[in-house]
Amino acid sequence: MLGNWDDLRLFLAVAREQSLSGAGKLVRLDPATLGRRMARVEKGLGATLFVKSPTGYALTEAGTQLLARAEAAEQTMRMATAGVAEPTDHLGGQIRIGAPDGCANYLLPQVCARLVAQHPGLDIQIVALPRVFNLSRREADMAIGVSAPTAGRLVVQKIADYQLHLAAAESYLAAHDPIEGIADLQAHRLVGYIPDMIFDRELDYLAELGMTRVPLASNSVSVQVNMIRQGGGVGIVHDFSLPTTPGVKRILTDQVSLSRAFYLIRHADDRRNLRLSRFADALAQGVRAEVIRLEANT
């Protein structure tokens, strides 16, 4: 038989997250300990509750039957503690976000700082990498991308459009020939991505301008911005990065204006996870508001 409410709580976490690692973040137990607890529960019940595989923990028929009873018990517990429990919008546990480094450097720090201030039990990890995250391998709980994936069991939510323009340091512009049109760029150093390391076609900004040679290149947006800030040349920058980049100004805004979008990407199996869904909504709202605020100050 099931030992106590704590065992039931742990079972619910594993059933909903479908993995020991995901459930462990929620209940603050390491996967090995949680695995032993679930094995003890199965032994006590005399039934196999999960089918274990490299992709996670799937409920057996016995597990599905127990889930219905466990959720009913959980609802009863909530009703019994109504008025003394934590607010329904409380968020806790660890959540890992994968994001391109432009978003990770210029948007997520302030958004996530506000979220953990509002939810003291919440631990947020930001993994900033210039590549696409594999949510099927659980590299992150959710990811922000610059294009909407069309393959895989994923849930995609558009967060916001954002704008990009050509920019250069005021010191660079003062020391070089005027830039009055796109043709003038041929006489100037360009800053941009390393061509063979562009991981998403939406990032191939310079191709739209017919530019092929990039004397100063990096696979990192923040490195590119710092190259521009140091007078390295002219490059495409996110408008939302400019308020924190003094001495850099947009140029040719009437001739070159690009628009892209951020998308919040989650694994389809997480749709029924209320905690991750609430966090995803709060994150999307925060990033959207921050893009609007920063772009208004360019």
Side-chain angles (χ1 to χ4, degrees), residues 83 179 200 217 242:
I179 304 176
D200 193 300
L242 291 174

Side-chain angles (χ1 to χ4, degrees), residues 120-160:
L122 184 62
D123 299 335
I124 302 177
Q125 298 179 345
I126 301 172
V127 183
L129 288 178
R131 65 172 174 82
V132 176
F133 280 78
N134 190 327
L135 296 182
S136 296
R137 295 178 183 172
R138 297 296 178 174
E139 293 181 333
D141 295 299
M142 59 190 67
I144 293 176
V146 295
S147 62
T150 56
R153 298 186 60 251
L154 302 171
V155 177
V156 182
Q157 172 188 353
K158 184 177 179 180
I159 299 176

Side-chain angles (χ1 to χ4, degrees), residues 47-59:
T48 300
L49 302 175
F50 300 99
V51 176
K52 294 90 170 176
S53 74
T55 59
Y57 272 43
L59 288 170

